Amino acid sequence: RIEKARLLALSGDFLAAQAILDTVDADAADARLGQLRVAVLLELDRTDEALALLGELIAKRPTDARLAIQKAGVLVRQERFADAEQALLDVINANPRAESAYAALLRIYDAHGGSLPDYPQGYQRLLRRMFATIPKSRIARLTNAGILEVRGNHAQAERELDKLLEDNP
């Protein structure tokens, strides 16, 4: 049923997908179920229900960065940038090695930093934490190369990117 609902959603028949999802036990073990339910609710413009469901799912799996990123995406669409930031900070606190959460938060800072009350301080805290916690990660190294470039250290930025490419082609 979950797979059929997924296929219906992919084909754009969100009402039929929702009807099938309503017949699936909410506590089903399939991890995709919650995210699929949220995606269908969002397509049906039932954003408040989707956010409530995401809240429940995150409470059950606070270290799951995918859920926090999905929630942050919904909050950004609603222009609730501080709430999106907090959702990602919460998952980073629960799972400090969640590289994808750092990447999502950096994207929010890049696109909407001016809408956040303490953006410069929050950005600096995130960078310090990322470089201390996951310094060898792809996102930390890409960010470091960008910082080096902005500072005019082009040769060092290029070396950083060459090393990253060598380590992670």
Side-chain angles (χ1 to χ4, degrees):
R1 285 185 279 168
I2 294 169
E3 187 61 23
K4 183 172 182 178
R6 186 187 71 78
L7 290 173
L8 286 167
L10 283 174
S11 69
D13 193 351
F14 301 108
L15 288 173
Q18 181 64 45
I20 290 174
L21 289 173
D22 287 343
T23 68
V24 177
D25 180 14
D27 293 328
D30 193 314
R32 301 171 304 159
L33 177 61
Q35 286 185 291
L36 180 58
R37 284 183 195 274
V38 169
V40 169
L41 287 170
L42 290 171
E43 289 294 336
L44 294 172
D45 290 324
R46 293 166 56 186
T47 307
D48 291 339
E49 290 175 67
L51 284 171
L53 179 56
L54 277 167
E56 292 171 22
L57 295 170
I58 290 169
K60 291 178 184 175
R61 295 190 307 247
T63 61
D64 190 335
R66 292 173 303 166
L67 295 171
I69 291 168
Q70 190 175 23
K71 180 177 181 179
V74 174
L75 294 168
V76 164
R77 283 195 297 270
Q78 293 182 327
E79 298 185 1
R80 294 171 53 191
F81 305 116
D83 292 337
E85 176 189 37
Q86 191 58 56
L88 293 168
L89 288 172
D90 289 346
V91 79
I92 288 171
N93 287 334
N95 182 3
R97 302 194 60 77
E99 183 176 348
S100 59
Y102 288 94
L105 190 48
L106 285 170
R107 285 191 301 273
I108 289 174
Y109 285 155
D110 286 344
H112 308 289
S115 300
L116 294 166
D118 67 340
Y119 160 68
Q121 297 85 6
Y123 183 76
Q124 289 300 318
R125 278 192 304 270
L126 181 69
L127 291 181
R128 281 192 302 275
R129 185 169 187 178
M130 181 176 62
F131 291 138
T133 307
I134 55 171
K136 300 290 185 194
S137 68
R138 182 177 170 274
I139 190 63
R141 293 164 71 185
L142 283 171
T143 302
N144 187 46
I147 291 169
L148 290 168
E149 180 184 0
V150 168
R151 291 181 179 165
N153 298 334
H154 300 287
Q156 195 174 354
E158 188 176 345
R159 282 192 299 275
E160 179 77 22
L161 292 173
D162 286 343
K163 177 111 174 75
L164 178 59
L165 185 58
E166 179 183 311
D167 294 347
N168 187 359

